[in-house]
Amino acid sequence: SARVSPRRRLIDNKQIQTMSRRERHRDDDDRRDRRRSRSRSRSRDREEPPPPSSAAPAGLPVGMGSTITPPTAAAYGGMMMPGAQAGAMPGMVPVMMMPNPLMVATAAQDKVNRELFVGNTPPGTSEALLTQFLNGAMRRTKLCAADAMPIIQCRTNQKFAFVECASIADANLALNLNGIPFMGSSLRVSRPSKYAGPHVPSKTWQELTGQTLPVGLTPVPENTSPAEDKVNRELFIGNTTPEMTESMLTDFLGKAMEQVGLATHPGNPITACRVSGKFAFIELRSKEETANALNLNNIPYLGAQLRVGRPSKYVGAQTPHGNWEDILAKYMSGELKLPSQGGAPAAAPAPAANTGVPTRVVELKNMLTMDELTSDQDYEEIMEDTKEECSQFGSLKNLVIPRDGPGATKIFLEYMSTDDAAAAIKGLAGRTFDGRKVEAIFYDETKFANKEY
């Protein structure tokens, strides 16, 4: 090979180094250009909107006539407005479906129309047993289909219960169970006090089946309209004097009926009394005892002879009856016999308990225990059932059942009038709950308003 001079070798090395530097600079320039290109591309991606999924028709702005995919939760960092539906556009106010007040009220009234009150249930009656018994009775008497379950729910509480029927028609038919014997009691099946629908005629269990009431059971009143029922149980008392008070008339006439056997079962048969000047009205607990009380006509009291008769608005059949002289003569001769005691005179009624100064507030004792107030669910049910039961005596304004403090286990009822409160005391005093005798007295309205229980 040709010999290369040292000078030539030096020149060649310098050229090679120069070329290498140029190539490196060129490579650096290329890398910078590529980085700038990528940066500009990303910037355009951020600034420009995405193209539509399909081309818009000619003459329309971009987006019109094309399919637009609504943003999802992911498009907003996984967050959606409360109440917003999937696919809703951002910024749009979500439309919330509010309940229709008319529909809510209709549903509540429908439930009331499907409910029935069942009284005189023995203590400890289970809901399942009562439901099964009543359903079986309706199937046996063909008040429903052989495989039907007309009664779908039951709530028991002490000596009464509430049942809910599958339909209003089932509830109307179940009224015919009124008076059915159950575990030594005659069940009172009727509408609840808050029922405001039309009166539906019905029979008693004895009328429906032709069976007689077992010996020892107390008959229950028939299911009549509230207005008709009250007129049939009211009597007019004439020739009263100013000194005769409601309590005096109630006590005197009630004792007279018990003494000579005009009361069909123990206790004062008079449940309410209203005095107005020279006359009064009394209300009795049954139509049968009301008819019997007509025999008190001309009974002497405080120097006056009381006139006892039907009120002017009574339009029912006239009931044959005698006067007090006739009844007293029959009683003294032994012709008049007590229904349950074979002619023996009735025991003298115990003196009426001192219920205090009449007010609109009633205090009940011995109805509850602390164990019954522990559970929130049990407490709510007790409140509901107590309100249902005590509203039948009058317009109940307020109900308070303290869960602690000195008033715990007591029940306080505030009525719209003292007459309503007095009716509640007469209806509740002396009842027994789980072997405890209920005490009912008037309570000071000022203490009640200050929550001094």
Side-chain angles (χ1 to χ4, degrees):
S1 61
R3 186 175 180 273
V4 180
S5 66
R7 177 179 173 80
R8 181 61 181 173
R9 188 181 295 113
L10 179 61
I11 292 173
D12 291 343
N13 289 338
K14 289 181 178 181
Q15 289 177 345
I16 291 171
Q17 292 174 358
T18 301
M19 291 175 63
S20 298
R21 284 195 297 271
R22 288 175 179 172
E23 289 176 357
R24 286 197 300 271
H25 290 321
R26 192 162 46 247
D27 291 341
D28 292 341
D29 291 340
D30 290 342
R31 282 194 293 271
R32 280 193 295 271
D33 290 341
R34 285 195 295 271
R35 284 196 297 269
R36 291 193 188 100
S37 177
R38 285 196 296 271
S39 176
R40 285 194 295 270
S41 178
R42 286 195 296 269
S43 177
R44 284 195 300 271
D45 290 342
R46 287 193 297 269
E47 294 174 0
E48 296 180 5
S53 59
S54 62
L60 292 178
V62 175
M64 294 296 289
S66 61
T67 303
I68 301 177
T69 303
T72 62
Y76 301 100
M79 300 296 292
M80 291 291 284
M81 291 181 63
Q85 298 179 351
M89 296 299 292
M92 294 180 63
V93 178
V95 179
M96 304 297 292
M97 295 300 293
M98 300 299 293
N100 188 324
L102 180 60
M103 294 178 63
V104 173
T106 302
Q109 187 59 48
D110 176 74
K111 185 175 184 296
V112 171
N113 293 342
R114 291 186 292 107
E115 278 190 333
L116 292 177
F117 169 83
V118 182
N120 300 333
T121 56
T125 300
S126 71
E127 297 173 351
L129 176 62
L130 185 59
T131 302
Q132 183 179 3
F133 173 78
L134 296 178
N135 276 327
M138 292 187 69
R139 288 193 289 264
R140 289 195 308 273
T141 52
K142 294 181 171 51
L143 293 175
C144 65
D147 58 348
M149 296 285 289
I151 296 175
I152 58 177
Q153 192 172 354
C154 175
R155 305 191 320 273
T156 58
N157 184 8
Q158 304 295 343
K159 296 191 69 175
F160 61 90
F162 291 94
V163 296
E164 182 180 344
C165 298
S167 67
I168 296 176
D170 288 332
N172 294 340
L173 292 171
L175 287 170
N176 294 284
L177 299 176
N178 186 36
I180 185 172
F182 175 71
M183 297 177 64
S185 297
S186 182
L187 297 183
R188 173 74 170 109
V189 181
S190 62
R191 300 286 189 184
S193 60
K194 56 186 175 183
Y195 175 78
H199 170 65
V200 178
S202 62
K203 300 178 180 180
T204 64
W205 177 258
Q206 287 69 38
E207 293 172 335
L208 178 69
T209 62
Q211 301 174 0
T212 58
L213 188 68
V215 177
L217 296 189
T218 302
V220 297
E222 299 177 3
N223 285 319
T224 58
S225 66
E228 178 187 357
D229 179 64
K230 186 175 181 181
V231 169
N232 291 337
R233 293 185 296 103
E234 266 192 340
L235 290 178
F236 170 84
I237 310 296
N239 295 336
T240 60
T241 58
E243 61 268 21
M244 297 181 188
T245 64
E246 296 174 353
S247 59
M248 291 170 63
L249 284 171
T250 300
D251 185 58
F252 171 73
L253 296 176
K255 286 180 178 179
M257 290 184 67
E258 288 185 285
Q259 183 67 33
V260 298
L262 297 177
T264 59
H265 51 283
N268 193 329
I270 300 175
T271 61
C273 177
R274 305 190 313 275
V275 175
S276 178
K278 292 187 176 182
F279 61 89
F281 291 94
I282 60 172
E283 184 177 339
L284 293 97
R285 60 191 173 192
S286 69
K287 292 192 295 182
E288 182 181 358
E289 289 176 317
T290 305
N292 289 345
L294 290 169
N295 294 286
L296 296 176
N297 188 41
N298 288 336
I299 187 172
Y301 183 52
L302 296 181
Q305 278 193 320
L306 301 181
R307 186 165 66 87
V308 180
R310 297 283 188 180
S312 59
K313 55 187 177 182
Y314 174 77
V315 294
Q318 294 300 316
T319 307
H321 63 87
N323 291 327
W324 175 251
E325 296 89 346
D326 303 326
I327 294 297
L328 191 59
K330 290 181 179 180
Y331 172 74
M332 297 300 293
S333 64
E335 295 181 45
L336 185 66
K337 296 181 181 295
L338 293 173
S340 60
Q341 297 182 351
N354 182 16
T355 57
V357 179
T359 66
R360 294 182 300 109
V361 181
V362 176
E363 176 187 358
L364 302 178
K365 300 178 181 179
N366 298 334
M367 284 188 67
L368 301 174
T369 63
M370 288 301 298
D371 292 339
E372 294 173 309
L373 302 177
T374 303
S375 168
D376 291 339
Q377 182 178 354
D378 291 345
Y379 180 78
E380 291 300 325
E381 290 181 358
I382 290 171
M383 288 285 288
E384 180 182 352
D385 293 340
T386 303
K387 185 176 181 180
E388 186 80 30
E389 173 71 7
C390 296
S391 293
Q392 64 181 325
F393 301 111
S395 299
L396 184 62
K397 180 181 178 181
N398 195 10
L399 166 66
V400 176
I401 303 180
R403 302 179 72 175
D404 52 28
T409 73
K410 296 180 182 179
I411 297 177
F412 296 89
L413 310 169
E414 182 183 15
Y415 286 92
M416 296 298 293
S417 68
T418 55
D419 289 342
D420 292 343
I425 289 178
K426 292 172 184 175
L428 296 171
R431 286 191 182 184
T432 57
F433 287 89
D434 288 342
R436 302 183 302 271
K437 188 175 181 179
V438 176
E439 295 181 23
I441 60 174
F442 292 107
Y443 193 74
D444 186 83
E445 294 185 19
T446 302
K447 290 183 178 180
F448 179 79
N450 294 333
K451 300 182 178 180
E452 298 177 13
Y453 308 132

mmCIF file of all heavy atoms in Angstrom, residues 271-294:
data_model
loop_
_atom_site.group_PDB
_atom_site.id
_atom_site.type_symbol
_atom_site.label_atom_id
_atom_site.label_comp_id
_atom_site.label_asym_id
_atom_site.label_seq_id
_atom_site.Cartn_x
_atom_site.Cartn_y
_atom_site.Cartn_z
ATOM 1 N N THR A 271 -122.876 6.337 79.907
ATOM 2 C CA THR A 271 -121.507 6.731 79.548
ATOM 3 C C THR A 271 -121.310 8.229 79.453
ATOM 4 O O THR A 271 -120.175 8.699 79.488
ATOM 5 C CB THR A 271 -121.118 6.096 78.206
ATOM 6 O OG1 THR A 271 -122.005 6.558 77.178
ATOM 7 C CG2 THR A 271 -121.181 4.572 78.281
ATOM 8 N N ALA A 272 -122.391 8.995 79.303
ATOM 9 C CA ALA A 272 -122.247 10.451 79.171
ATOM 10 C C ALA A 272 -123.552 11.123 79.577
ATOM 11 O O ALA A 272 -124.638 10.520 79.511
ATOM 12 C CB ALA A 272 -121.869 10.838 77.744
ATOM 13 N N CYS A 273 -123.426 12.382 79.994
ATOM 14 C CA CYS A 273 -124.595 13.158 80.401
ATOM 15 C C CYS A 273 -124.352 14.631 80.089
ATOM 16 O O CYS A 273 -123.249 15.151 80.326
ATOM 17 C CB CYS A 273 -124.866 12.966 81.899
ATOM 18 S SG CYS A 273 -126.251 13.945 82.523
ATOM 19 N N ARG A 274 -125.379 15.304 79.537
ATOM 20 C CA ARG A 274 -125.293 16.738 79.248
ATOM 21 C C ARG A 274 -126.503 17.425 79.876
ATOM 22 O O ARG A 274 -127.644 17.059 79.582
ATOM 23 C CB ARG A 274 -125.274 17.009 77.740
ATOM 24 C CG ARG A 274 -124.201 16.284 76.978
ATOM 25 C CD ARG A 274 -124.096 16.795 75.529
ATOM 26 N NE ARG A 274 -125.371 16.910 74.869
ATOM 27 C CZ ARG A 274 -126.000 15.916 74.240
ATOM 28 N NH1 ARG A 274 -125.460 14.687 74.243
ATOM 29 N NH2 ARG A 274 -127.150 16.105 73.632
ATOM 30 N N VAL A 275 -126.232 18.398 80.726
ATOM 31 C CA VAL A 275 -127.312 19.121 81.403
ATOM 32 C C VAL A 275 -127.477 20.488 80.759
ATOM 33 O O VAL A 275 -126.484 21.185 80.477
ATOM 34 C CB VAL A 275 -127.004 19.273 82.914
ATOM 35 C CG1 VAL A 275 -128.068 20.140 83.592
ATOM 36 C CG2 VAL A 275 -126.945 17.906 83.574
ATOM 37 N N SER A 276 -128.739 20.873 80.503
ATOM 38 C CA SER A 276 -129.010 22.180 79.906
ATOM 39 C C SER A 276 -130.297 22.731 80.509
ATOM 40 O O SER A 276 -131.404 22.402 80.062
ATOM 41 C CB SER A 276 -129.138 22.060 78.383
ATOM 42 O OG SER A 276 -129.449 23.317 77.811
ATOM 43 N N GLY A 277 -130.141 23.558 81.550
ATOM 44 C CA GLY A 277 -131.312 24.166 82.179
ATOM 45 C C GLY A 277 -132.187 23.152 82.874
ATOM 46 O O GLY A 277 -131.741 22.442 83.771
ATOM 47 N N LYS A 278 -133.464 23.033 82.419
ATOM 48 C CA LYS A 278 -134.427 22.144 83.056
ATOM 49 C C LYS A 278 -134.521 20.776 82.395
ATOM 50 O O LYS A 278 -135.495 20.046 82.624
ATOM 51 C CB LYS A 278 -135.803 22.797 83.069
ATOM 52 C CG LYS A 278 -135.885 24.010 83.984
ATOM 53 C CD LYS A 278 -137.317 24.510 84.090
ATOM 54 C CE LYS A 278 -137.423 25.674 85.087
ATOM 55 N NZ LYS A 278 -138.824 26.149 85.241
ATOM 56 N N PHE A 279 -133.556 20.443 81.593
ATOM 57 C CA PHE A 279 -133.553 19.117 80.980
ATOM 58 C C PHE A 279 -132.111 18.668 80.756
ATOM 59 O O PHE A 279 -131.156 19.446 80.905
ATOM 60 C CB PHE A 279 -134.342 19.100 79.663
ATOM 61 C CG PHE A 279 -133.784 20.027 78.614
ATOM 62 C CD1 PHE A 279 -132.812 19.596 77.712
ATOM 63 C CD2 PHE A 279 -134.237 21.343 78.528
ATOM 64 C CE1 PHE A 279 -132.319 20.440 76.754
ATOM 65 C CE2 PHE A 279 -133.732 22.203 77.563
ATOM 66 C CZ PHE A 279 -132.765 21.750 76.669
ATOM 67 N N ALA A 280 -131.978 17.397 80.405
ATOM 68 C CA ALA A 280 -130.643 16.830 80.172
ATOM 69 C C ALA A 280 -130.761 15.700 79.157
ATOM 70 O O ALA A 280 -131.863 15.257 78.805
ATOM 71 C CB ALA A 280 -130.046 16.319 81.487
ATOM 72 N N PHE A 281 -129.603 15.254 78.671
ATOM 73 C CA PHE A 281 -129.530 14.090 77.781
ATOM 74 C C PHE A 281 -128.495 13.130 78.349
ATOM 75 O O PHE A 281 -127.421 13.552 78.789
ATOM 76 C CB PHE A 281 -129.118 14.497 76.361
ATOM 77 C CG PHE A 281 -130.162 15.290 75.630
ATOM 78 C CD1 PHE A 281 -130.139 16.678 75.652
ATOM 79 C CD2 PHE A 281 -131.183 14.645 74.932
ATOM 80 C CE1 PHE A 281 -131.099 17.421 74.983
ATOM 81 C CE2 PHE A 281 -132.147 15.378 74.264
ATOM 82 C CZ PHE A 281 -132.114 16.769 74.285
ATOM 83 N N ILE A 282 -128.853 11.841 78.360
ATOM 84 C CA ILE A 282 -127.895 10.829 78.787
ATOM 85 C C ILE A 282 -127.610 9.893 77.609
ATOM 86 O O ILE A 282 -128.474 9.674 76.754
ATOM 87 C CB ILE A 282 -128.399 10.016 80.006
ATOM 88 C CG1 ILE A 282 -129.710 9.291 79.679
ATOM 89 C CG2 ILE A 282 -128.540 10.907 81.217
ATOM 90 C CD1 ILE A 282 -130.173 8.321 80.758
ATOM 91 N N GLU A 283 -126.409 9.369 77.574
ATOM 92 C CA GLU A 283 -126.005 8.422 76.538
ATOM 93 C C GLU A 283 -125.618 7.111 77.212
ATOM 94 O O GLU A 283 -124.833 7.096 78.159
ATOM 95 C CB GLU A 283 -124.825 8.974 75.744
ATOM 96 C CG GLU A 283 -124.390 8.093 74.577
ATOM 97 C CD GLU A 283 -123.264 8.718 73.779
ATOM 98 O OE1 GLU A 283 -123.082 9.961 73.863
ATOM 99 O OE2 GLU A 283 -122.539 7.967 73.086
ATOM 100 N N LEU A 284 -126.167 6.009 76.723
ATOM 101 C CA LEU A 284 -125.912 4.701 77.307
ATOM 102 C C LEU A 284 -125.005 3.872 76.407
ATOM 103 O O LEU A 284 -124.804 4.201 75.240
ATOM 104 C CB LEU A 284 -127.233 3.966 77.575
ATOM 105 C CG LEU A 284 -128.091 4.640 78.676
ATOM 106 C CD1 LEU A 284 -129.139 5.539 78.066
ATOM 107 C CD2 LEU A 284 -128.730 3.614 79.594
ATOM 108 N N ARG A 285 -124.477 2.775 76.947
ATOM 109 C CA ARG A 285 -123.458 2.031 76.225
ATOM 110 C C ARG A 285 -124.026 1.068 75.189
ATOM 111 O O ARG A 285 -123.289 0.566 74.340
ATOM 112 C CB ARG A 285 -122.580 1.264 77.209
ATOM 113 C CG ARG A 285 -123.302 0.251 78.068
ATOM 114 C CD ARG A 285 -122.431 -0.269 79.186
ATOM 115 N NE ARG A 285 -123.187 -1.116 80.117
ATOM 116 C CZ ARG A 285 -122.713 -1.498 81.294
ATOM 117 N NH1 ARG A 285 -121.502 -1.129 81.678
ATOM 118 N NH2 ARG A 285 -123.444 -2.259 82.090
ATOM 119 N N SER A 286 -125.348 0.778 75.214
ATOM 120 C CA SER A 286 -125.930 -0.118 74.220
ATOM 121 C C SER A 286 -127.383 0.271 73.963
ATOM 122 O O SER A 286 -128.034 0.937 74.782
ATOM 123 C CB SER A 286 -125.860 -1.574 74.694
ATOM 124 O OG SER A 286 -126.729 -1.795 75.791
ATOM 125 N N LYS A 287 -127.908 -0.166 72.815
ATOM 126 C CA LYS A 287 -129.309 0.115 72.482
ATOM 127 C C LYS A 287 -130.257 -0.640 73.409
ATOM 128 O O LYS A 287 -131.331 -0.126 73.757
ATOM 129 C CB LYS A 287 -129.578 -0.276 71.024
ATOM 130 C CG LYS A 287 -128.865 0.603 70.012
ATOM 131 C CD LYS A 287 -129.379 0.391 68.609
ATOM 132 C CE LYS A 287 -129.097 -1.002 68.102
ATOM 133 N NZ LYS A 287 -129.562 -1.189 66.707
ATOM 134 N N GLU A 288 -129.871 -1.849 73.807
ATOM 135 C CA GLU A 288 -130.721 -2.641 74.696
ATOM 136 C C GLU A 288 -130.879 -1.956 76.048
ATOM 137 O O GLU A 288 -132.001 -1.859 76.592
ATOM 138 C CB GLU A 288 -130.125 -4.036 74.879
ATOM 139 C CG GLU A 288 -130.970 -4.947 75.748
ATOM 140 C CD GLU A 288 -130.338 -6.319 75.929
ATOM 141 O OE1 GLU A 288 -129.266 -6.565 75.349
ATOM 142 O OE2 GLU A 288 -130.908 -7.135 76.678
ATOM 143 N N GLU A 289 -129.784 -1.458 76.600
ATOM 144 C CA GLU A 289 -129.869 -0.772 77.900
ATOM 145 C C GLU A 289 -130.590 0.566 77.771
ATOM 146 O O GLU A 289 -131.226 1.035 78.729
ATOM 147 C CB GLU A 289 -128.468 -0.593 78.478
ATOM 148 C CG GLU A 289 -127.859 -1.910 78.945
ATOM 149 C CD GLU A 289 -126.428 -1.763 79.422
ATOM 150 O OE1 GLU A 289 -125.648 -1.047 78.762
ATOM 151 O OE2 GLU A 289 -126.088 -2.375 80.445
ATOM 152 N N THR A 290 -130.514 1.177 76.592
ATOM 153 C CA THR A 290 -131.251 2.422 76.372
ATOM 154 C C THR A 290 -132.752 2.155 76.418
ATOM 155 O O THR A 290 -133.524 2.920 77.031
ATOM 156 C CB THR A 290 -130.861 3.037 75.023
ATOM 157 O OG1 THR A 290 -129.451 3.215 74.971
ATOM 158 C CG2 THR A 290 -131.551 4.375 74.814
ATOM 159 N N ALA A 291 -133.169 1.063 75.776
ATOM 160 C CA ALA A 291 -134.591 0.700 75.819
ATOM 161 C C ALA A 291 -135.018 0.364 77.245
ATOM 162 O O ALA A 291 -136.131 0.729 77.681
ATOM 163 C CB ALA A 291 -134.844 -0.484 74.888
ATOM 164 N N ASN A 292 -134.163 -0.309 77.983
ATOM 165 C CA ASN A 292 -134.492 -0.645 79.376
ATOM 166 C C ASN A 292 -134.620 0.605 80.240
ATOM 167 O O ASN A 292 -135.447 0.667 81.158
ATOM 168 C CB ASN A 292 -133.427 -1.551 79.971
ATOM 169 C CG ASN A 292 -133.456 -2.954 79.379
ATOM 170 O OD1 ASN A 292 -134.424 -3.338 78.735
ATOM 171 N ND2 ASN A 292 -132.389 -3.711 79.602
ATOM 172 N N ALA A 293 -133.782 1.619 79.953
ATOM 173 C CA ALA A 293 -133.783 2.831 80.776
ATOM 174 C C ALA A 293 -135.060 3.640 80.625
ATOM 175 O O ALA A 293 -135.354 4.507 81.469
ATOM 176 C CB ALA A 293 -132.571 3.696 80.421
ATOM 177 N N LEU A 294 -135.863 3.364 79.597
ATOM 178 C CA LEU A 294 -137.148 4.060 79.453
ATOM 179 C C LEU A 294 -138.060 3.767 80.639
ATOM 180 O O LEU A 294 -138.988 4.545 80.938
ATOM 181 C CB LEU A 294 -137.830 3.650 78.152
ATOM 182 C CG LEU A 294 -137.167 4.154 76.857
ATOM 183 C CD1 LEU A 294 -137.787 3.464 75.659
ATOM 184 C CD2 LEU A 294 -137.301 5.672 76.755
#
